[in-house]
Amino acid sequence: KTDFINFISDQEWKSIEPVSSWFGPSSFLMSSMSALFQLSMWIRHCHGYLTENVGIPVWGSYAVFVLATLFSGLILGLVSEVLETDWL
């Protein structure tokens, strides 16, 4: 605690080089990382809901997520192909 207070009161923070804009909290990279962590927490919440409230076994919950991943990849692949053929 005292080190932090001394860091502020002695203005030692002025000698530290600022963080690059790529790694700033409001940058695209960090916003994407935040969205990825939020997605992982949402998936964890859904897994808990499926296993505890709905009563699906753990392997069944994993199967639901595997199928969702496969179908979302299929849809994204089809959309990218349609966009590619329209643009070219």
Side-chain angles (χ1 to χ4, degrees):
K1 178 179 171 181
T2 57
D3 290 337
F4 181 69
I5 292 172
N6 291 337
F7 180 77
I8 300 299
S9 63
D10 296 339
Q11 296 185 354
E12 295 176 14
W13 53 270
K14 288 184 177 181
S15 64
I16 295 178
E17 192 171 318
V19 176
S20 170
S21 64
W22 280 97
F23 298 109
S26 61
S27 70
F28 176 74
L29 180 64
M30 289 299 136
S31 297
S32 301
M33 278 301 250
S34 173
L36 183 65
F37 286 129
Q38 288 175 354
L39 176 65
S40 68
M41 292 305 294
W42 180 79
I43 290 172
R44 181 178 178 194
H45 173 74
C46 289
H47 173 72
Y49 176 77
L50 289 174
T51 55
E52 295 169 7
N53 295 349
V54 178
I56 296 176
V58 173
W59 63 267
S61 175
Y62 290 156
V64 167
F65 287 115
V66 166
L67 291 174
T69 302
L70 289 173
F71 283 124
S72 64
L74 175 68
I75 297 299
L76 288 173
L78 290 173
V79 167
S80 71
E81 283 298 315
V82 167
L83 291 176
E84 184 178 310
T85 56
D86 284 347
W87 286 347
L88 296 176

